[in-house]
Amino acid sequence: MNIESAGLDAKSAYKLLIGSIIPRPIAWISTESTSGVGNLAPVSFFTCVGRKPPKVSLSIQPKSDGATLKDSFVNIRDTGEFVTNMATLPQVFALHRSATEFEPDVDEFDAVGVEKVASALVKPPRIKDAPVALECKVDQIFSAPDGLHHIVWGEVVNFYVRDDLYVNGRIDFGAIAPIARLAAEYTVVDNAFVPPLDPAVLTERASRRMRRLDGQGEEYSAVDSPTWSASGSVQG
């Protein structure tokens, strides 16, 4: 099947993108408003874009109404700082709840039940128990003509790495349970390999469906749920 993108509305194109580009790492972004209110937001249109200096990229859409800027973007724009916290399995429910569209005056650290820890070089706090956190200062902001869709490049000015994970200048990722985004679902990274693999392993793995951890049927898709939103926000 070929599906020409010119005939798709934004929601339909988004469904195909989030099912095609998988798994996507999640930047659990912590920011602080100019009045000192903490904000959290999971961003899965996220990647690194440089190494010297180290930089990350965030793609941020408007809220579910399609017309209002997300608080996280407003804070990033107005303060020039943010923290990219690593999303891991022990904190997945808090992370999921942080996609709720809280009112701007609600401190989302308190609302979802995670603790703040002071960052080393930026004002926004990092998330306690996040094993890795990248403290960032805004490098560039690229805005779409509609003024609602934005790409943020942030320079990483400080790496927080939990002490036990820092080994010979690298991060011991095997001791972490990182999570990623599929379509509207999550996945936990719990295996690693370097090719080649035994042909029997390839055959066995390629011919079986992904295992669900939530008890839903294997054909279930959260994208089909009435509470799903193409904004990435949690509804209902």
Side-chain angles (χ1 to χ4, degrees):
M1 175 182 292
N2 292 303
I3 306 170
E4 293 191 21
S5 61
L8 299 174
D9 60 21
K11 184 175 182 178
S12 298
Y14 185 65
K15 284 184 177 181
L16 295 179
L17 279 172
I18 62 175
S20 301
I21 304 171
I22 57 173
R24 302 187 305 282
I26 302 169
W28 198 3
I29 300 299
S30 54
T31 60
E32 192 171 86
S33 71
T34 54
S35 58
V37 179
N39 183 272
L40 295 169
V43 177
S44 65
F45 279 22
F46 157 69
T47 191
C48 51
V49 289
R51 56 180 182 168
K52 188 62 180 178
K55 295 180 184 179
V56 298
S57 175
L58 312 174
S59 180
I60 305 177
Q61 308 174 82
K63 292 185 177 182
S64 57
D65 63 8
T68 306
L69 295 175
K70 289 185 175 178
D71 298 332
S72 53
F73 174 73
V74 172
N75 293 347
I76 290 170
R77 180 197 65 192
D78 292 351
T79 69
E81 297 182 335
F82 61 95
V83 180
T84 300
N85 302 271
M86 181 180 284
T88 61
L89 191 61
Q91 294 182 306
V92 66
F93 185 52
L95 173 121
H96 184 64
R97 289 187 62 216
S98 71
T100 303
E101 293 180 352
F102 293 102
E103 293 298 319
D105 61 348
V106 173
D107 191 305
E108 296 186 14
F109 284 82
D110 296 333
V112 305
V114 296
E115 294 185 48
K116 300 175 181 176
V117 176
S119 297
L121 297 182
V122 299
K123 189 173 181 181
R126 61 178 174 85
I127 297 169
K128 184 180 180 181
D129 297 330
V132 177
L134 313 179
E135 300 178 19
C136 300
K137 291 183 179 289
V138 171
D139 177 68
Q140 294 186 67
I141 295 177
F142 308 89
S143 300
D146 63 10
L148 295 170
H149 296 76
H150 306 272
I151 296 173
V152 176
W153 281 8
E155 180 178 336
V156 180
V157 295
N158 187 70
F159 291 84
Y160 164 77
V161 182
R162 201 175 69 206
D163 290 347
D164 62 296
L165 299 176
Y166 189 71
V167 181
N168 298 326
R170 63 174 175 84
I171 294 172
D172 180 17
F173 62 81
I176 307 171
I179 58 174
R181 207 74 156 118
L182 298 175
E185 340 280 319
Y186 298 89
T187 187
V188 60
V189 181
D190 61 1
N191 62 79
F193 64 90
V194 175
L197 292 175
D198 187 292
V201 173
L202 295 176
T203 300
E204 192 273 333
R205 297 285 300 195
S207 61
R208 77 182 193 196
R209 290 189 62 86
M210 190 179 295
R211 181 168 61 97
R212 295 197 67 97
L213 302 180
D214 55 11
Q216 298 285 358
E218 65 177 22
E219 300 292 341
Y220 174 82
S221 173
V223 170
D224 296 330
S225 166
T227 61
W228 178 77
S229 167
S231 69
S233 299
V234 172
Q235 305 295 309

